[in-house]
Amino acid sequence: MSIPWRSSAAAFEQLLGRHGVVVGACDMEAAWAAFEEFVQVPVEGIEGPEDDGDGFIVEWGVWDWTGNRPALTLGRLLAVNEDGDRQDPYWQPQYWKVEFQACFADDPERRHPSYA
């Protein structure tokens, strides 16, 4: 079963819910299982795999937008090919990133991350 690229965020959200991941608290093993399943779903309307149109990114760090808390982001980056003149030598696809971000407490006693 493939999905249109515009439905990819909703499809990922459904998978997260099916794995028991909820906003505010989550099990990282469940989040990883949902992400692993999500990256295997074929997506319509993107550049082909031979063109690096579908990939994943794992990012981690501490940022202002996470309240200076440690965070981990699992993302799927899709190169959308529906707009633009492909004959133009400078044409580039638009990138759409579907992501899951978990923020961790600074207190090592709190082991369960939350996600937004």
Side-chain angles (χ1 to χ4, degrees):
M1 169 188 99
S2 63
I3 57 171
W5 72 268
R6 290 183 186 273
S7 301
S8 58
F12 186 32
E13 189 173 351
Q14 287 178 336
L15 286 171
L16 287 165
R18 198 164 59 215
H19 283 269
V21 178
V22 296
V23 174
C26 74
D27 173 0
M28 284 306 297
E29 287 184 40
W32 178 254
F35 184 70
E36 186 176 36
E37 187 175 340
F38 175 61
V39 297
Q40 295 179 53
V41 175
V43 177
E44 302 165 7
I46 60 171
E47 291 293 303
E50 64 280 349
D51 297 323
D52 295 328
D54 188 359
F56 70 89
I57 298 174
V58 177
E59 300 170 294
W60 62 92
V62 175
W63 300 283
D64 291 343
W65 63 87
T66 63
N68 292 317
R69 296 181 356 194
L72 171 70
T73 302
L74 307 174
R76 184 170 181 184
L77 191 63
L78 306 171
V80 179
N81 64 14
E82 71 179 19
D83 295 327
D85 179 9
R86 298 185 76 164
Q87 302 306 315
D88 179 352
Y90 301 106
W91 179 84
Q92 293 289 316
Q94 295 179 7
Y95 287 93
W96 174 260
K97 184 177 175 189
V98 180
E99 66 182 21
F100 165 88
Q101 183 177 81
C103 296
F104 300 86
D106 286 331
D107 181 1
E109 296 299 316
R110 289 186 55 206
R111 298 186 186 265
H112 298 288
S114 64
Y115 99 90

